[in-house]
Amino acid sequence: MKTYYDILEVSQKASPEIIKSAYTTLVKKYHPDNNPAFSKECSEMIMQLNSAYEVLSDPSKRKLYDQQLCNQPSPPYTYSSVSASEKNPSHTLHYAMIFFLVISLVYLCNLGLRYVRLGVLTDTAETEHQTVISTVSDEALIEKDPPSHGSFLEGGKYISYNDLYNINVDGFRGHFKYAPLEINVPEQKGTMYYLKFHCPSTDQTYIIFAHSGEANIRVNLLCGDYDLTYAVGSKWYGKDHLFGSETRYYKGNSIFSFYHDGDVARGESLILYQDTNVHVGIEEIDAADF
């Protein structure tokens, strides 16, 4: 089975910079829009890339994942004539107990990791969903390379593309339903958007980064009713400081609903504007309310 390192085509010792570069390169390579003849396969590949990057780009999640890899059981030995149980039954029982304990530990770690992603563990999830609003002056901040257009800073494991509205997610039982979201960005370059969709009933959160002057974003989100808040600016200082002192914060006045009407997946369309004074259905909020 491929590891997240295999999916991103990097070594387990790869630096965060190499991981980010590999992710960006592969997303461009396998994006469905660039491979219309293999859109379904590319959509599945993008989901794998997003899953891998979500874990490996977060130091705490990566540490837990690396521990999980270290605890994976070694491949069993094979014997050409006499089986292990025939040689020594007690050894087989001993190995079976060790194997059961290791599998249980891996399962619990994996379950905990999934719950963190879904926002079920209260302490960890609340920390992930909060953005620390910086009070540091811009002169003291270091401008950083912004995330790529359409990248998911959170929730990227639970998305799909094109017409994949009913799919299995990471081995969970049953099907998860998705519906489309289209984000229309202004044509003129120079503005960046930090968009946060949050579903109170499931605590599912998506954080999407967008650049003006790029193609519209089309993606499928898990069905549910989502609140929208977002920040706008032109210089990126990281998740802790967003766009520095020039950051402006907004909240949607209506709920964004994603659902299935029989066999039809119904979603939402969001139009972003360069002039923050003409945003439709949006109100400006204080940083403390973001």
Side-chain angles (χ1 to χ4, degrees), residues 85-101:
S85 58
E86 289 174 334
K87 286 186 174 181
N88 194 328
S90 64
H91 286 178
T92 301
L93 179 61
H94 179 68
Y95 295 148
M97 292 177 65
I98 294 176
F99 180 80
F100 175 77
L101 290 173

Side-chain angles (χ1 to χ4, degrees), residues 227-246:
D227 299 320
L228 168 67
T229 54
Y230 66 93
V232 180
S234 61
K235 293 183 179 180
W236 178 247
Y237 297 104
K239 289 183 69 174
D240 288 342
H241 308 290
L242 299 183
F243 308 105
S245 61
E246 72 163 13

Side-chain angles (χ1 to χ4, degrees), residues 47-67:
M47 291 176 64
Q48 294 182 35
L49 291 171
N50 288 334
S51 301
Y53 186 68
E54 182 180 358
V55 172
L56 299 186
S57 63
D58 185 301
S60 58
K61 291 181 181 179
R62 182 179 181 182
K63 181 178 180 181
L64 180 60
Y65 180 72
D66 287 344
Q67 291 174 349

Side-chain angles (χ1 to χ4, degrees), residues 74-80 82-84 87 95:
S74 301
Y77 292 102
T78 57
Y79 299 89
S80 57
V82 183
S83 68
K87 286 186 174 181
Y95 295 148

Side-chain angles (χ1 to χ4, degrees), residues 241-282:
H241 308 290
L242 299 183
F243 308 105
S245 61
E246 72 163 13
T247 307
R248 297 180 69 175
Y249 304 90
Y250 298 89
K251 178 182 180 180
N253 291 327
S254 58
I255 299 298
F256 285 73
S257 295
F258 300 84
Y259 62 98
H260 282 203
D261 182 8
D263 294 331
V264 180
R266 301 196 181 276
E268 297 277 3
S269 178
L270 171 65
I271 300 176
L272 299 172
Y273 295 91
Q274 205 118 32
D275 183 352
T276 53
N277 294 318
V278 296
H279 284 208
V280 179
I282 299 292

Side-chain angles (χ1 to χ4, degrees), residues 115-133:
Y115 279 179
V116 168
R117 294 192 190 115
L118 289 172
V120 175
L121 297 181
T122 347
D123 294 337
T124 307
E126 288 180 354
T127 302
E128 286 187 358
H129 295 172
Q130 293 171 353
T131 299
V132 179
I133 307 303

Side-chain angles (χ1 to χ4, degrees), residues 24-173:
T24 303
T25 301
L26 291 172
V27 164
K28 291 179 180 178
K29 177 181 178 181
Y30 291 107
H31 198 282
D33 291 348
N34 298 328
N35 302 274
F38 303 95
S39 59
K40 184 176 180 179
E41 293 82 356
C42 287
S43 295
E44 294 173 353
M45 186 62 189
I46 290 291
M47 291 176 64
Q48 294 182 35
L49 291 171
N50 288 334
S51 301
Y53 186 68
E54 182 180 358
V55 172
L56 299 186
S57 63
D58 185 301
S60 58
K61 291 181 181 179
R62 182 179 181 182
K63 181 178 180 181
L64 180 60
Y65 180 72
D66 287 344
Q67 291 174 349
Q68 178 184 334
L69 286 181
C70 291
N71 290 330
Q72 292 283 2
S74 301
Y77 292 102
T78 57
Y79 299 89
S80 57
S81 55
V82 183
S83 68
S85 58
E86 289 174 334
K87 286 186 174 181
N88 194 328
S90 64
H91 286 178
T92 301
L93 179 61
H94 179 68
Y95 295 148
M97 292 177 65
I98 294 176
F99 180 80
F100 175 77
L101 290 173
V102 170
I103 290 297
S104 300
L105 179 60
V106 171
Y107 174 79
L108 290 174
C109 289
N110 193 33
L111 185 62
L113 185 60
R114 289 173 182 168
Y115 279 179
V116 168
R117 294 192 190 115
L118 289 172
V120 175
L121 297 181
T122 347
D123 294 337
T124 307
E126 288 180 354
T127 302
E128 286 187 358
H129 295 172
Q130 293 171 353
T131 299
V132 179
I133 307 303
S134 172
T135 57
V136 181
S137 65
D138 289 356
E139 290 77 13
L141 298 176
I142 299 176
E143 187 175 354
K144 300 182 178 180
D145 291 333
S148 58
H149 177 65
S151 61
F152 279 74
L153 305 186
E154 189 170 329
K157 183 174 179 61
Y158 302 101
I159 62 174
S160 70
Y161 291 95
N162 299 323
D163 58 350
L164 294 177
Y165 301 128
N166 289 279
I167 59 176
N168 286 316
V169 178
D170 199 26
F172 282 93
R173 293 180 179 178

